[in-house]
Amino acid sequence: WALTSLSMSIDSQRSLFSNRSVAESLRDSASSCGATPPQFNRRDILQGLGLGSVAFSNLLANPTSAVADTAHRKPRAKNVIFLFMVGGASQLETFDPKPELHRRAGKLAGDIFSAEELAGFNPEKTFDHCRILPPIFSFKQHGQCGAWVSEIFPELSKVVDDITFIKSMRTDSPIHVVGEVLMHTGYPRKGHPSLGSWVTHGLGTENQNMPGFVVMADGRSVGGRAVYDSAYLPGVNQATLADVAAGREPLEYLKSAHDRSNQQQQIELMQRLNAIHEARHPAQSDLKARIAALETAFDMQASAPEIFDLSRESAETRQLYGDTDFGRKCLTARRLVENGVRFVEILDGAKGREWDAHGNRGGLEQNHRKNAKRTDRGIAALIQDLKRTGLLDETLVVWATEFGRTPFEEERKERSVLGRGHHHYGFTMWMAGGGLKPGISYGATDELGMHAIQNPVSHHDLHATILHLLGLDHEQLTYRHNSRDFRLTDVYGEVVHDIIA
């Protein structure tokens, strides 16, 4: 949106330059406001705008901001690549086999679990007559760590010694939209900043020519903008959406239709006019965000095309990731963090909740085979590539989903195929790099995969740990809004120190 604003704003201001110089245009505009036109350059303008320490750090490439002074600790990681599998990936078909499910296969869920347990999944469905379902794929142990990985992830199984599995995740809701929002913002309702926005709010960006937060998605999920929105944080902390599909421009208006030197003069004029207006209306946060966005957009037109150009990579590297939409996203993510982008998210299966393995949505087996095939190579390549380039030590890779799947199948209906329901009591996710202990599995669910019983980790704990690895104290990273100090973890969250190296 920043590049779009830049293009539209320049077009709207072109008449100011028809027969007059920039200085003359500025003087006339300033006089109409009763102000004396200031004499400073583009960077001076921004430094005098009072944008706030967070936005200021983003624009001037200061790796920390004033907001982080009280919240900052020694970081283990500098960047995050957040891989989110939309729809609820099944822990029982990916990384957490349960032999006991084979022994109890076919038994009724109502004979094993209490009515209270079964009532906590979906208020619109009953599960008493659903039958216990063992994992439908075969599992083997891999690597020196002996991690269990499903047959559907042959490439990922090769890098398990670099992965930290958390097998005791739990969250507060089995509803898609709520689950997505919880895992991204820490709150069950929309209207709060996303994880990526909090990270850039606390740390800014290392590259003044790029935004600190970039999202690549294959559609719009049911969580909508809430999963990457900055909400009440400064607008400079919101995500930039990029499209890296073959043959398409990653960002609209990335190539300017204007001469570069003339464009710079035009944006200098716009920013000076904005500065005059901002001085008269200092409480307009949207204007501050717009000023910052125009500046970032101008710089992106010079640097972003090269960063998004995957042809600059060797044939060997491109072959490693594969020529697929998801592979290109993973390679682009590596190039973005390599070039100082603080937080990169890939939303996979967003359109249609592709990982939602119900019987009426294609069935569990077809669903997870297809999704794993689409993502397996790119994820494994990302970890291998980060490691061989030395970036894995400072980049935290997170593989997450909104919740897992039930240890019993859904009640069969006519023409329906095998499926599992939503399950938020205990599921699996993993992280890699960024100061973690590699090759370990932390926590566990019970023998049936129903409840996280050993070292349970909530979504708040996950967020607290991610911030801690980045050098931020989740209790101190706050923002004043509506007379209350808000934070990503609300009033909860404990750092999972046992997984940190």
PDB file of all heavy atoms in Angstrom, residues 314-339:
ATOM      1  N   SER A 314      22.152 -18.916  -7.683  1.00  0.00           N
ATOM      2  CA  SER A 314      22.757 -19.928  -8.552  1.00  0.00           C
ATOM      3  C   SER A 314      21.714 -20.966  -8.950  1.00  0.00           C
ATOM      4  O   SER A 314      20.694 -21.154  -8.270  1.00  0.00           O
ATOM      5  CB  SER A 314      23.902 -20.625  -7.815  1.00  0.00           C
ATOM      6  OG  SER A 314      23.405 -21.403  -6.732  1.00  0.00           O
ATOM      7  N   ALA A 315      21.977 -21.654 -10.051  1.00  0.00           N
ATOM      8  CA  ALA A 315      21.079 -22.715 -10.498  1.00  0.00           C
ATOM      9  C   ALA A 315      20.974 -23.809  -9.441  1.00  0.00           C
ATOM     10  O   ALA A 315      19.905 -24.405  -9.246  1.00  0.00           O
ATOM     11  CB  ALA A 315      21.580 -23.300 -11.817  1.00  0.00           C
ATOM     12  N   GLU A 316      22.057 -24.055  -8.739  1.00  0.00           N
ATOM     13  CA  GLU A 316      22.059 -25.071  -7.683  1.00  0.00           C
ATOM     14  C   GLU A 316      21.100 -24.694  -6.562  1.00  0.00           C
ATOM     15  O   GLU A 316      20.341 -25.550  -6.067  1.00  0.00           O
ATOM     16  CB  GLU A 316      23.471 -25.224  -7.116  1.00  0.00           C
ATOM     17  CG  GLU A 316      23.561 -26.200  -5.952  1.00  0.00           C
ATOM     18  CD  GLU A 316      24.927 -26.212  -5.292  1.00  0.00           C
ATOM     19  OE1 GLU A 316      25.775 -25.358  -5.649  1.00  0.00           O
ATOM     20  OE2 GLU A 316      25.148 -27.060  -4.405  1.00  0.00           O
ATOM     21  N   THR A 317      21.110 -23.432  -6.163  1.00  0.00           N
ATOM     22  CA  THR A 317      20.225 -22.990  -5.091  1.00  0.00           C
ATOM     23  C   THR A 317      18.774 -23.037  -5.532  1.00  0.00           C
ATOM     24  O   THR A 317      17.896 -23.499  -4.781  1.00  0.00           O
ATOM     25  CB  THR A 317      20.595 -21.565  -4.642  1.00  0.00           C
ATOM     26  OG1 THR A 317      21.925 -21.564  -4.141  1.00  0.00           O
ATOM     27  CG2 THR A 317      19.640 -21.071  -3.570  1.00  0.00           C
ATOM     28  N   ARG A 318      18.471 -22.582  -6.729  1.00  0.00           N
ATOM     29  CA  ARG A 318      17.091 -22.614  -7.219  1.00  0.00           C
ATOM     30  C   ARG A 318      16.597 -24.053  -7.330  1.00  0.00           C
ATOM     31  O   ARG A 318      15.435 -24.350  -7.040  1.00  0.00           O
ATOM     32  CB  ARG A 318      16.988 -21.900  -8.560  1.00  0.00           C
ATOM     33  CG  ARG A 318      17.288 -20.403  -8.481  1.00  0.00           C
ATOM     34  CD  ARG A 318      16.766 -19.662  -9.701  1.00  0.00           C
ATOM     35  NE  ARG A 318      17.291 -20.189 -10.943  1.00  0.00           N
ATOM     36  CZ  ARG A 318      18.434 -19.800 -11.509  1.00  0.00           C
ATOM     37  NH1 ARG A 318      19.171 -18.851 -10.916  1.00  0.00           N
ATOM     38  NH2 ARG A 318      18.845 -20.318 -12.641  1.00  0.00           N
ATOM     39  N   GLN A 319      17.489 -24.958  -7.735  1.00  0.00           N
ATOM     40  CA  GLN A 319      17.126 -26.360  -7.840  1.00  0.00           C
ATOM     41  C   GLN A 319      16.842 -26.945  -6.454  1.00  0.00           C
ATOM     42  O   GLN A 319      15.948 -27.787  -6.283  1.00  0.00           O
ATOM     43  CB  GLN A 319      18.259 -27.140  -8.513  1.00  0.00           C
ATOM     44  CG  GLN A 319      18.042 -28.652  -8.620  1.00  0.00           C
ATOM     45  CD  GLN A 319      16.882 -29.023  -9.510  1.00  0.00           C
ATOM     46  OE1 GLN A 319      16.476 -28.238 -10.382  1.00  0.00           O
ATOM     47  NE2 GLN A 319      16.327 -30.209  -9.317  1.00  0.00           N
ATOM     48  N   LEU A 320      17.574 -26.500  -5.457  1.00  0.00           N
ATOM     49  CA  LEU A 320      17.383 -26.987  -4.094  1.00  0.00           C
ATOM     50  C   LEU A 320      15.960 -26.709  -3.618  1.00  0.00           C
ATOM     51  O   LEU A 320      15.309 -27.587  -3.028  1.00  0.00           O
ATOM     52  CB  LEU A 320      18.389 -26.317  -3.153  1.00  0.00           C
ATOM     53  CG  LEU A 320      18.304 -26.665  -1.667  1.00  0.00           C
ATOM     54  CD1 LEU A 320      18.681 -28.128  -1.441  1.00  0.00           C
ATOM     55  CD2 LEU A 320      19.216 -25.742  -0.844  1.00  0.00           C
ATOM     56  N   TYR A 321      15.462 -25.506  -3.872  1.00  0.00           N
ATOM     57  CA  TYR A 321      14.128 -25.122  -3.423  1.00  0.00           C
ATOM     58  C   TYR A 321      13.026 -25.660  -4.330  1.00  0.00           C
ATOM     59  O   TYR A 321      11.904 -25.889  -3.869  1.00  0.00           O
ATOM     60  CB  TYR A 321      14.009 -23.593  -3.362  1.00  0.00           C
ATOM     61  CG  TYR A 321      14.702 -22.971  -2.185  1.00  0.00           C
ATOM     62  CD1 TYR A 321      16.043 -22.601  -2.247  1.00  0.00           C
ATOM     63  CD2 TYR A 321      14.027 -22.704  -1.004  1.00  0.00           C
ATOM     64  CE1 TYR A 321      16.688 -21.999  -1.169  1.00  0.00           C
ATOM     65  CE2 TYR A 321      14.651 -22.105   0.080  1.00  0.00           C
ATOM     66  CZ  TYR A 321      15.985 -21.759  -0.008  1.00  0.00           C
ATOM     67  OH  TYR A 321      16.616 -21.159   1.057  1.00  0.00           O
ATOM     68  N   GLY A 322      13.334 -25.846  -5.601  1.00  0.00           N
ATOM     69  CA  GLY A 322      12.334 -26.296  -6.559  1.00  0.00           C
ATOM     70  C   GLY A 322      11.558 -25.136  -7.152  1.00  0.00           C
ATOM     71  O   GLY A 322      11.349 -24.101  -6.508  1.00  0.00           O
ATOM     72  N   ASP A 323      11.134 -25.318  -8.401  1.00  0.00           N
ATOM     73  CA  ASP A 323      10.420 -24.258  -9.110  1.00  0.00           C
ATOM     74  C   ASP A 323       8.917 -24.375  -8.849  1.00  0.00           C
ATOM     75  O   ASP A 323       8.120 -24.714  -9.723  1.00  0.00           O
ATOM     76  CB  ASP A 323      10.710 -24.344 -10.610  1.00  0.00           C
ATOM     77  CG  ASP A 323      10.147 -23.150 -11.374  1.00  0.00           C
ATOM     78  OD1 ASP A 323       9.889 -22.111 -10.738  1.00  0.00           O
ATOM     79  OD2 ASP A 323       9.950 -23.274 -12.602  1.00  0.00           O
ATOM     80  N   THR A 324       8.533 -24.105  -7.624  1.00  0.00           N
ATOM     81  CA  THR A 324       7.127 -24.114  -7.234  1.00  0.00           C
ATOM     82  C   THR A 324       6.811 -22.807  -6.513  1.00  0.00           C
ATOM     83  O   THR A 324       7.720 -22.089  -6.084  1.00  0.00           O
ATOM     84  CB  THR A 324       6.816 -25.287  -6.282  1.00  0.00           C
ATOM     85  OG1 THR A 324       7.539 -25.093  -5.046  1.00  0.00           O
ATOM     86  CG2 THR A 324       7.204 -26.618  -6.910  1.00  0.00           C
ATOM     87  N   ASP A 325       5.534 -22.522  -6.374  1.00  0.00           N
ATOM     88  CA  ASP A 325       5.131 -21.294  -5.695  1.00  0.00           C
ATOM     89  C   ASP A 325       5.660 -21.267  -4.270  1.00  0.00           C
ATOM     90  O   ASP A 325       6.219 -20.259  -3.828  1.00  0.00           O
ATOM     91  CB  ASP A 325       3.604 -21.180  -5.704  1.00  0.00           C
ATOM     92  CG  ASP A 325       3.114 -19.931  -4.991  1.00  0.00           C
ATOM     93  OD1 ASP A 325       3.326 -18.831  -5.529  1.00  0.00           O
ATOM     94  OD2 ASP A 325       2.528 -20.058  -3.904  1.00  0.00           O
ATOM     95  N   PHE A 326       5.509 -22.375  -3.547  1.00  0.00           N
ATOM     96  CA  PHE A 326       5.975 -22.403  -2.168  1.00  0.00           C
ATOM     97  C   PHE A 326       7.498 -22.374  -2.095  1.00  0.00           C
ATOM     98  O   PHE A 326       8.070 -21.711  -1.210  1.00  0.00           O
ATOM     99  CB  PHE A 326       5.446 -23.651  -1.450  1.00  0.00           C
ATOM    100  CG  PHE A 326       5.708 -23.647   0.034  1.00  0.00           C
ATOM    101  CD1 PHE A 326       4.891 -22.940   0.897  1.00  0.00           C
ATOM    102  CD2 PHE A 326       6.786 -24.341   0.561  1.00  0.00           C
ATOM    103  CE1 PHE A 326       5.145 -22.921   2.264  1.00  0.00           C
ATOM    104  CE2 PHE A 326       7.045 -24.331   1.924  1.00  0.00           C
ATOM    105  CZ  PHE A 326       6.215 -23.620   2.776  1.00  0.00           C
ATOM    106  N   GLY A 327       8.170 -23.054  -3.014  1.00  0.00           N
ATOM    107  CA  GLY A 327       9.625 -23.013  -3.025  1.00  0.00           C
ATOM    108  C   GLY A 327      10.156 -21.615  -3.259  1.00  0.00           C
ATOM    109  O   GLY A 327      11.135 -21.194  -2.625  1.00  0.00           O
ATOM    110  N   ARG A 328       9.509 -20.875  -4.162  1.00  0.00           N
ATOM    111  CA  ARG A 328       9.927 -19.494  -4.415  1.00  0.00           C
ATOM    112  C   ARG A 328       9.706 -18.620  -3.181  1.00  0.00           C
ATOM    113  O   ARG A 328      10.514 -17.737  -2.887  1.00  0.00           O
ATOM    114  CB  ARG A 328       9.164 -18.923  -5.619  1.00  0.00           C
ATOM    115  CG  ARG A 328       9.636 -19.450  -6.966  1.00  0.00           C
ATOM    116  CD  ARG A 328       9.004 -18.686  -8.117  1.00  0.00           C
ATOM    117  NE  ARG A 328       7.576 -18.954  -8.209  1.00  0.00           N
ATOM    118  CZ  ARG A 328       7.037 -19.958  -8.888  1.00  0.00           C
ATOM    119  NH1 ARG A 328       7.819 -20.804  -9.531  1.00  0.00           N
ATOM    120  NH2 ARG A 328       5.740 -20.141  -8.936  1.00  0.00           N
ATOM    121  N   LYS A 329       8.623 -18.863  -2.475  1.00  0.00           N
ATOM    122  CA  LYS A 329       8.386 -18.100  -1.251  1.00  0.00           C
ATOM    123  C   LYS A 329       9.491 -18.352  -0.226  1.00  0.00           C
ATOM    124  O   LYS A 329       9.975 -17.424   0.435  1.00  0.00           O
ATOM    125  CB  LYS A 329       7.027 -18.469  -0.653  1.00  0.00           C
ATOM    126  CG  LYS A 329       5.814 -17.940  -1.406  1.00  0.00           C
ATOM    127  CD  LYS A 329       4.556 -18.234  -0.619  1.00  0.00           C
ATOM    128  CE  LYS A 329       3.318 -17.619  -1.270  1.00  0.00           C
ATOM    129  NZ  LYS A 329       2.836 -18.412  -2.398  1.00  0.00           N
ATOM    130  N   CYS A 330       9.884 -19.616  -0.068  1.00  0.00           N
ATOM    131  CA  CYS A 330      10.918 -19.940   0.915  1.00  0.00           C
ATOM    132  C   CYS A 330      12.262 -19.320   0.526  1.00  0.00           C
ATOM    133  O   CYS A 330      12.976 -18.784   1.387  1.00  0.00           O
ATOM    134  CB  CYS A 330      11.061 -21.461   1.050  1.00  0.00           C
ATOM    135  SG  CYS A 330       9.682 -22.255   1.904  1.00  0.00           S
ATOM    136  N   LEU A 331      12.617 -19.382  -0.754  1.00  0.00           N
ATOM    137  CA  LEU A 331      13.864 -18.774  -1.198  1.00  0.00           C
ATOM    138  C   LEU A 331      13.808 -17.258  -1.036  1.00  0.00           C
ATOM    139  O   LEU A 331      14.790 -16.623  -0.620  1.00  0.00           O
ATOM    140  CB  LEU A 331      14.146 -19.150  -2.657  1.00  0.00           C
ATOM    141  CG  LEU A 331      15.407 -18.561  -3.294  1.00  0.00           C
ATOM    142  CD1 LEU A 331      16.645 -18.807  -2.441  1.00  0.00           C
ATOM    143  CD2 LEU A 331      15.602 -19.121  -4.705  1.00  0.00           C
ATOM    144  N   THR A 332      12.671 -16.661  -1.351  1.00  0.00           N
ATOM    145  CA  THR A 332      12.511 -15.217  -1.167  1.00  0.00           C
ATOM    146  C   THR A 332      12.644 -14.843   0.306  1.00  0.00           C
ATOM    147  O   THR A 332      13.241 -13.813   0.645  1.00  0.00           O
ATOM    148  CB  THR A 332      11.149 -14.753  -1.703  1.00  0.00           C
ATOM    149  OG1 THR A 332      11.043 -15.089  -3.097  1.00  0.00           O
ATOM    150  CG2 THR A 332      10.980 -13.251  -1.539  1.00  0.00           C
ATOM    151  N   ALA A 333      12.096 -15.687   1.178  1.00  0.00           N
ATOM    152  CA  ALA A 333      12.205 -15.421   2.618  1.00  0.00           C
ATOM    153  C   ALA A 333      13.659 -15.377   3.051  1.00  0.00           C
ATOM    154  O   ALA A 333      14.055 -14.510   3.839  1.00  0.00           O
ATOM    155  CB  ALA A 333      11.447 -16.496   3.405  1.00  0.00           C
ATOM    156  N   ARG A 334      14.462 -16.296   2.538  1.00  0.00           N
ATOM    157  CA  ARG A 334      15.885 -16.281   2.881  1.00  0.00           C
ATOM    158  C   ARG A 334      16.550 -15.013   2.386  1.00  0.00           C
ATOM    159  O   ARG A 334      17.349 -14.385   3.090  1.00  0.00           O
ATOM    160  CB  ARG A 334      16.587 -17.500   2.294  1.00  0.00           C
ATOM    161  CG  ARG A 334      17.985 -17.755   2.873  1.00  0.00           C
ATOM    162  CD  ARG A 334      19.003 -18.081   1.784  1.00  0.00           C
ATOM    163  NE  ARG A 334      19.373 -16.904   1.025  1.00  0.00           N
ATOM    164  CZ  ARG A 334      19.856 -16.942  -0.213  1.00  0.00           C
ATOM    165  NH1 ARG A 334      19.998 -18.096  -0.859  1.00  0.00           N
ATOM    166  NH2 ARG A 334      20.197 -15.832  -0.842  1.00  0.00           N
ATOM    167  N   ARG A 335      16.220 -14.576   1.168  1.00  0.00           N
ATOM    168  CA  ARG A 335      16.816 -13.359   0.622  1.00  0.00           C
ATOM    169  C   ARG A 335      16.370 -12.127   1.411  1.00  0.00           C
ATOM    170  O   ARG A 335      17.134 -11.191   1.604  1.00  0.00           O
ATOM    171  CB  ARG A 335      16.438 -13.213  -0.858  1.00  0.00           C
ATOM    172  CG  ARG A 335      17.122 -14.239  -1.759  1.00  0.00           C
ATOM    173  CD  ARG A 335      16.712 -14.052  -3.231  1.00  0.00           C
ATOM    174  NE  ARG A 335      17.090 -12.761  -3.758  1.00  0.00           N
ATOM    175  CZ  ARG A 335      18.301 -12.455  -4.224  1.00  0.00           C
ATOM    176  NH1 ARG A 335      19.262 -13.371  -4.206  1.00  0.00           N
ATOM    177  NH2 ARG A 335      18.558 -11.248  -4.711  1.00  0.00           N
ATOM    178  N   LEU A 336      15.134 -12.129   1.892  1.00  0.00           N
ATOM    179  CA  LEU A 336      14.639 -10.983   2.654  1.00  0.00           C
ATOM    180  C   LEU A 336      15.360 -10.850   3.991  1.00  0.00           C
ATOM    181  O   LEU A 336      15.811  -9.756   4.351  1.00  0.00           O
ATOM    182  CB  LEU A 336      13.131 -11.116   2.866  1.00  0.00           C
ATOM    183  CG  LEU A 336      12.252 -10.876   1.625  1.00  0.00           C
ATOM    184  CD1 LEU A 336      10.820 -11.285   1.899  1.00  0.00           C
ATOM    185  CD2 LEU A 336      12.317  -9.417   1.182  1.00  0.00           C
ATOM    186  N   VAL A 337      15.475 -11.945   4.745  1.00  0.00           N
ATOM    187  CA  VAL A 337      16.171 -11.833   6.039  1.00  0.00           C
ATOM    188  C   VAL A 337      17.652 -11.563   5.835  1.00  0.00           C
ATOM    189  O   VAL A 337      18.289 -10.880   6.643  1.00  0.00           O
ATOM    190  CB  VAL A 337      15.963 -13.091   6.909  1.00  0.00           C
ATOM    191  CG1 VAL A 337      14.494 -13.290   7.229  1.00  0.00           C
ATOM    192  CG2 VAL A 337      16.548 -14.338   6.267  1.00  0.00           C
ATOM    193  N   GLU A 338      18.195 -12.074   4.743  1.00  0.00           N
ATOM    194  CA  GLU A 338      19.594 -11.818   4.414  1.00  0.00           C
ATOM    195  C   GLU A 338      19.826 -10.333   4.158  1.00  0.00           C
ATOM    196  O   GLU A 338      20.918  -9.806   4.398  1.00  0.00           O
ATOM    197  CB  GLU A 338      19.971 -12.639   3.179  1.00  0.00           C
ATOM    198  CG  GLU A 338      21.426 -12.613   2.779  1.00  0.00           C
ATOM    199  CD  GLU A 338      21.684 -13.513   1.584  1.00  0.00           C
ATOM    200  OE1 GLU A 338      20.858 -13.520   0.642  1.00  0.00           O
ATOM    201  OE2 GLU A 338      22.701 -14.220   1.585  1.00  0.00           O
ATOM    202  N   ASN A 339      18.786  -9.658   3.714  1.00  0.00           N
ATOM    203  CA  ASN A 339      18.882  -8.232   3.406  1.00  0.00           C
ATOM    204  C   ASN A 339      18.230  -7.353   4.475  1.00  0.00           C
ATOM    205  O   ASN A 339      17.847  -6.217   4.204  1.00  0.00           O
ATOM    206  CB  ASN A 339      18.247  -7.950   2.041  1.00  0.00           C
ATOM    207  CG  ASN A 339      19.144  -8.358   0.884  1.00  0.00           C
ATOM    208  OD1 ASN A 339      20.034  -7.608   0.477  1.00  0.00           O
ATOM    209  ND2 ASN A 339      18.925  -9.563   0.368  1.00  0.00           N
TER     210      ASN A 339
END
